Amino acid sequence: EIHTLPEKEQASVHSAPSTMGNWVVNEGLSIFVILVWLGLNAFLFWWYYKVYDVPVKFYYSRELLGSALAWARAPAACLNFNCLLILLPVCRNLLSFLRGSSACCSTRIRRQLDRNLTFHKMVAWMIALHTAIHTVAHLFNVERCVEARVEAKGTIQAALSDLGDKPNESYLNFVRKKFPNPEGGLYVAFTYLAGLSGVIITLALILIITSSTKTIRRSYFEVFWYTHHLFVIFFIGLVIHGAGRIVRGQTAESLKVHDPKICEKNFTQWGKISSCPVPQFAGNPPMTWKWVVVPMILYFFERLVRFWRSQQKVVITKVVNHPFKTFELQMMKKGFKMEVGQYIFVQCPTVSHLEWHPFTLTSAPEEDYFSIHIRIVGDWTEGLSSACGCDKQEFQEAWKLPKILVDGPFGTASEDVFSYETVMLVGAGIGVTPFASVLKSVWYKYCNDATNLRLKKIYFYWLCRDTHAFEWFADLLQSLENQMQERDNAEFLSYNIYLTGWDESQATHFTVHHDEEKDVITGLKQKTLYGRPNWENEFKTIASQHSSSRVGVFLCGPEALAETLNKQCINNSAADPRGVHFIFNKENF
């Protein structure tokens, strides 16, 4: 995600160079990518504005349309550029391949690949901006073209609009029928290829963007899912939008015999004097397809790979009901290989033939199955829960379980956990699921041989509102706790569980049992804490204990917490490259 910089006045135990140094580590390449992208947009806008505002080829076009010609064409170039980019961040297989290739992706570049959806959204908003500019400019163009077609003779605009009415003449004004406004504008919008395709792709874009808000995605996911696939119509319309060639300029042959700067004043004598023959015009060939053909082909193959992988048989080996409206699916699939913290997309045809939903893998690579934990929060998850028999008390036979399609796995930031010697894992609510995979993998590595394990220290934080949410995860933590003690390495894992919501009766119960050996909620030796962590103190403590380490900070949780942790990473890192540096990573779906 995009993270804001801390305010200059914010207190910090480190100097200003320290803050700036870690800003470069945590945000530098991200800001660099954004600046390059914005710079390319600005350059393309300026360049293509000049292309249509300066050359003599479009001299008569400017006489007819004014500056709106350049204002329409400059954002069109930026639209082409951003439409080239918009599909690339959602080519998940391509990104996973790049992320897993150490030859082409360093750790910093992989961290930028993890922000693919953020970049996708930024590009979408840029497309919306340039679409608005392009549309408004063309509204002025259409108005002037229609008015020039019906206005009285005697002006150069009327003379330019009349070109093409006689044999052996080529037209400049693409409006050929004489209708006054607003009828003329509506005629152009709904009978010309450029007008009709422009209306369709603009409506498609409006529906895509308005249905992509966080409220719609979370409350009405089906609306978001279906309207987002209007991108197919958007791209088809985009490719054919320029086929009508309504933007026209004077031909090179005509410019040799007809200088518009000289002949402009003698427009009534065109074709009557040898120095000013009738000017000839031609439409600009469509260019959009050249920009988008490569990403469209990549995305087409991306969807083919997804379809092929999703058709491979998946067997549900176990369904486990957990408290707090959570259930677990354990599955097997031939040739399935995963890394810690990765995620998959799941479809259940019994519930919906079109919807795919992302879920973090909670199993470890060392296990002979892969699993996901699903919290029932909507129609789709409730339908899947019912199809799996989670609402029934009796044993569900395997042949009655629904068909499941799986696409993935895909890489995330959590894959880099084992690249650090020290890590902070922060999960909020169900956001703990990526770290279940990490902690399980650590447990398996310790059971076998931990000598080659680079990771030496884990600080684990879990924030949850309800006591029931701890139950399904407590067994894993207890196994790890026992394993570390048996190996005389209890300090390897430091975990802190925070209960952020409780009532008065619960508080009384916690107080009575506080002195017991094991925690009353989780059954662990480490007692549950109440409230929220003081992140500044936590980071300072870890910084003092690992004064010369790169500490990986991994979060799966809300945006507000992401902003807080990112600021702490920046503020608590040393200016000296040999000092402690906190590297922030966040899960994105």
Side-chain angles (χ1 to χ4, degrees), residues 342-346 357-361 372-374 380-381 589:
Q342 291 186 325
Y343 67 98
I344 58 175
F345 275 79
V346 174
H357 292 263
F359 293 97
T360 304
L361 290 165
I372 55 175
H373 282 69
I374 303 170
W380 189 88
T381 51
F589 299 104

Side-chain angles (χ1 to χ4, degrees), residues 153-229:
K153 298 184 183 297
T155 65
I156 189 171
Q157 287 79 15
L160 290 169
S161 295
D162 289 340
L163 291 176
D165 290 344
K166 299 177 182 179
N168 300 321
E169 289 183 353
S170 56
Y171 66 90
L172 174 62
N173 188 339
F174 64 90
V175 179
R176 305 315 303 154
K177 292 186 180 295
K178 297 184 178 181
F179 293 113
N181 279 315
E183 292 86 352
L186 293 172
Y187 175 79
V188 170
F190 294 102
T191 62
Y192 281 70
L193 178 62
L196 186 59
S197 62
V199 170
I200 291 173
I201 62 180
T202 301
L203 289 175
L205 183 64
I206 290 171
L207 289 171
I208 290 171
I209 290 179
T210 54
S211 64
S212 299
T213 59
K214 185 177 291 187
T215 302
I216 297 294
R217 289 201 319 270
R218 291 189 174 180
S219 302
Y220 308 98
F221 184 84
E222 294 82 0
V223 175
F224 160 74
W225 181 260
Y226 295 135
T227 55
H228 227 63
H229 282 78

Side-chain angles (χ1 to χ4, degrees), residues 152-442:
K153 298 184 183 297
T155 65
I156 189 171
Q157 287 79 15
L160 290 169
S161 295
D162 289 340
L163 291 176
D165 290 344
K166 299 177 182 179
N168 300 321
E169 289 183 353
S170 56
Y171 66 90
L172 174 62
N173 188 339
F174 64 90
V175 179
R176 305 315 303 154
K177 292 186 180 295
K178 297 184 178 181
F179 293 113
N181 279 315
E183 292 86 352
L186 293 172
Y187 175 79
V188 170
F190 294 102
T191 62
Y192 281 70
L193 178 62
L196 186 59
S197 62
V199 170
I200 291 173
I201 62 180
T202 301
L203 289 175
L205 183 64
I206 290 171
L207 289 171
I208 290 171
I209 290 179
T210 54
S211 64
S212 299
T213 59
K214 185 177 291 187
T215 302
I216 297 294
R217 289 201 319 270
R218 291 189 174 180
S219 302
Y220 308 98
F221 184 84
E222 294 82 0
V223 175
F224 160 74
W225 181 260
Y226 295 135
T227 55
H228 227 63
H229 282 78
L230 290 173
F231 83 92
V232 176
I233 294 175
F234 177 83
F235 271 89
I236 292 173
L238 194 70
V239 169
I240 66 174
H241 183 59
R245 303 192 179 197
I246 65 171
V247 178
R248 302 176 69 81
Q250 195 172 350
T251 64
E253 292 76 11
S254 177
L255 285 170
K256 294 177 182 177
V257 296
H258 182 113
D259 188 342
K261 293 181 180 179
I262 298 174
C263 297
E264 173 193 9
K265 300 176 182 178
N266 301 319
F267 65 88
T268 57
Q269 301 298 313
W270 287 350
K272 298 177 182 179
I273 57 178
S274 59
S275 60
C276 291
V278 176
Q280 300 296 318
F281 299 91
N284 281 2
M287 299 294 293
T288 300
W289 70 271
K290 296 181 181 180
W291 289 83
V292 301
V293 64
V294 172
M296 287 177 70
I297 290 173
L298 283 174
Y299 190 76
F300 174 75
F301 281 106
E302 165 80 13
R303 295 306 290 255
L304 280 182
V305 171
R306 291 188 198 176
F307 177 78
W308 172 73
R309 291 205 304 189
S310 68
Q311 297 306 304
Q312 296 174 337
K313 185 177 181 181
V314 176
V315 178
I316 300 177
T317 58
K318 193 174 184 180
V319 179
V320 183
N321 257 329
H322 292 289
F324 202 58
K325 288 188 175 182
T326 302
F327 66 100
E328 176 186 358
L329 293 183
Q330 296 182 6
M331 297 167 281
M332 297 182 71
K333 179 181 178 181
K334 186 177 180 180
F336 188 90
K337 295 181 180 179
M338 61 163 288
E339 297 294 336
V340 294
Q342 291 186 325
Y343 67 98
I344 58 175
F345 275 79
V346 174
Q347 185 200 80
C348 179
T350 305
V351 181
S352 172
H353 286 279
L354 295 176
E355 291 184 43
W356 290 84
H357 292 263
F359 293 97
T360 304
L361 290 165
T362 54
S363 53
E366 293 83 0
E367 293 175 311
D368 58 359
Y369 64 89
F370 62 97
S371 66
I372 55 175
H373 282 69
I374 303 170
R375 187 177 174 189
I376 303 171
V377 291
D379 294 339
W380 189 88
T381 51
E382 188 171 353
L384 180 60
S385 170
S386 299
C388 292
C390 296
D391 56 346
K392 300 174 183 176
Q393 296 297 325
E394 66 272 13
F395 179 77
Q396 185 85 344
E397 296 183 19
W399 64 272
K400 292 183 179 180
L401 293 173
K403 179 182 179 182
I404 293 289
L405 306 181
V406 169
D407 182 27
F410 301 106
T412 67
S414 296
E415 285 185 61
D416 294 331
V417 163
F418 293 110
S419 300
Y420 299 90
E421 289 189 359
T422 306
V423 296
M424 294 175 64
L425 309 179
V426 183
I430 197 67
V432 76
T433 51
F435 307 129
S437 176
V438 173
L439 295 176
K440 280 185 180 181
S441 187
V442 169

Side-chain angles (χ1 to χ4, degrees), residues 63-76:
E63 285 292 326
L64 179 65
L65 303 174
S67 61
L69 171 66
W71 278 102
R73 298 311 301 157

